Amino acid sequence: MMPHKFLFALALSLSIPTSAGMAQRGPLDGFDRHVADALRALEHPGVAIAIVKNDSVVFAKGFGVRALGNAAPVDAHTMFAVGSSSKAFTGLSVAMLVDEGTMRWDEPVATYLTGFQLKDPYSKVITIRDALTHRSGLPRSVPGQEPGPEADLVWLSGQFDSEELIRRLRHIEPGGAFRASFGYHNLMYLVAGTAVAKASGMPSWGDFVTRRIFAPLGMTESNLSVTALSGNPNVAQPHARIRDTVRVTSYRNLDRIGPAGSINSNVLDMAKSLRFQLAGGKIAGKALVGPRAFEETRTPQLALRRGGGPNRDGYFAAYGMGWFLQDYRGRFVVHHGGNIDGMSAMVAFMPDEQVGVVVLTNMHGSPLVQALAYDVFDRYLGLPPKDRIGDSKRSRAQAATRAREMAAAAEAKRVKGTTLSLALEHYTGTYADSANGEINVALEHGRLVVRYGTQFTADLEHWHFDTFQARWRNSPMFTQTLMSFELGRDGTVVRLSGDYFGSFTRRL
């Protein structure tokens, strides 16, 4: 392995243009150097960017490397996971079927998925529109942040197929009242995508997207599963900052939750989808979907709290169907980010200005994608630049400080000198939850090891009493959490609970 800082310097030297004809002029003067400086400042391995203006791709380049420790450069054809930016394709899929009369926005989900049920009895009337606008009442899962209990764990664990994931929704406790507030939830996009397959008569949501969207748009390099990346030499590897070190991590297989975020693509293919969006749903002047259904996906469906991210000075924020909507510097902006293990994405455009940008990076939870997208908007609006990269560095430093303070506070509450109630082998076994499946605890080499599904493994170290600190192995989502065992009246272990995991009951 080459020295860490040298690798980042090497990454910055490998910026490769897609075409010599894409020379920088006007708004993009100095943009290459700005991107290189941003990579260096935030210690990201690589990034790829495409910009569309007036139906033309005016910029498409890669910067940095596909993986630390390897000199292979990122270019405009390099494949990335786009994560939740996939949701716009699910919203578009429904719009196409609504336009054809095969689906209706306000038809109950149960019309398409027999037996569909949530725990909230009022949710019997939940519609396709509800599923696409995150107003189901399910507990919120925040893109790019750790999931709360029963938010995303049921699919993150990798224990269940799509059908079982939808069935288990009936066991998830609501996070709020039905239709009362915004509760971003990936599983409801699985519901909508599965309804697309049922209504269209196609084998799956992926088949619909491939045939009805990718093919006519010419998105020939895009796919819907990490398994399709095998054999492709030009693939970016995921990275995350784990215990203050940027490391290569693993791709997460999202086949089970495909409609919420399984698309893999590159900036050239995603630029084709941007051109389609900027053209009002048309390809070469021909409509792929009728204007009324198409515009409904970009029409505010649910008001959001304004003031977050680049919209601090904005007047409105809303969610459409697969798109976040807001005003920015007096312009209407449509966008959706994507965050999945080791990858971040941003797709954003200003319809009235006919400007769009896609930013893909192989770094977990990255602020870079949003910062560069809005830097592009400022350049085309002729506005003075903002120090978004500097703001991101300061935010990261503040977050690190908060994490240290939280760790110190937890340590201060730790009761030293306590011992376990039982011998280690008495804590082993299978712990289950009706919504989230099973957690297994085993004794290996003299210590307890927790395995949750196929995705999460942690080594347990005694903290105090019957509580352990879980050190998760190479996970960008969790690093260290506390997990506690509860004893019953007879002195045996009956329950396991943990930060972000909720409570699991021991199986006898």
Side-chain angles (χ1 to χ4, degrees), residues 115-120 166-172:
F116 175 79
Q117 181 182 338
L118 298 184
K119 195 162 189 176
D120 185 340
I166 292 175
R167 193 194 69 80
R168 283 181 174 255
L169 283 169
R170 68 193 62 196
H171 299 298
I172 297 180

Side-chain angles (χ1 to χ4, degrees), residues 324-364:
F324 286 94
L325 313 168
Q326 67 178 66
D327 64 312
Y328 176 71
R329 304 285 185 100
R331 275 77 170 182
F332 178 50
V333 174
V334 182
H335 67 95
H336 208 296
N339 288 285
I340 194 62
D341 302 50
M343 295 276 184
S344 301
M346 173 59 69
V347 180
F349 57 96
M350 296 186 291
D352 297 333
E353 302 297 323
Q354 285 291 289
V355 174
V357 58
V358 54
V359 186
L360 306 176
T361 184
N362 50 348
M363 186 67 179
H364 185 78

Side-chain angles (χ1 to χ4, degrees), residues 214-215 217-223 269 272:
F214 284 177
L217 265 60
M219 296 177 64
T220 57
E221 297 185 75
S222 301
N223 63 63
D269 259 19
K272 294 172 183 176

Side-chain angles (χ1 to χ4, degrees), residues 232-310:
N232 186 338
N234 195 355
V235 176
Q237 295 303 306
H239 295 73
R241 186 177 295 278
I242 300 174
R243 299 184 183 93
D244 296 324
T245 301
V246 177
R247 304 178 185 180
V248 176
T249 61
S250 301
Y251 269 91
R252 180 178 292 279
N253 186 309
L254 299 174
D255 292 359
R256 298 174 179 85
I257 195 82
S262 70
I263 292 176
N264 305 298
S265 190
N266 57 41
V267 293
L268 286 174
D269 259 19
M270 292 300 289
K272 294 172 183 176
S273 71
L274 274 176
R275 292 176 62 197
F276 168 77
Q277 289 289 335
L278 290 171
K282 297 179 181 179
I283 304 169
K286 182 179 179 180
L288 188 63
V289 57
R292 183 174 180 179
F294 178 75
E295 285 302 325
E296 192 71 10
T297 65
R298 309 185 326 187
T299 297
Q301 306 290 327
L302 187 67
L304 306 179
R305 185 179 298 277
R306 66 187 180 94

Side-chain angles (χ1 to χ4, degrees), residues 449-467:
V449 175
V450 166
R451 287 185 173 83
Y452 179 49
T454 61
Q455 302 295 314
F456 299 104
T457 301
D459 301 293
L460 297 187
E461 298 176 1
H462 184 240
W463 182 255
H464 64 195
F465 300 112
D466 292 311
T467 295

Side-chain angles (χ1 to χ4, degrees), residues 28 403 417:
L28 298 180

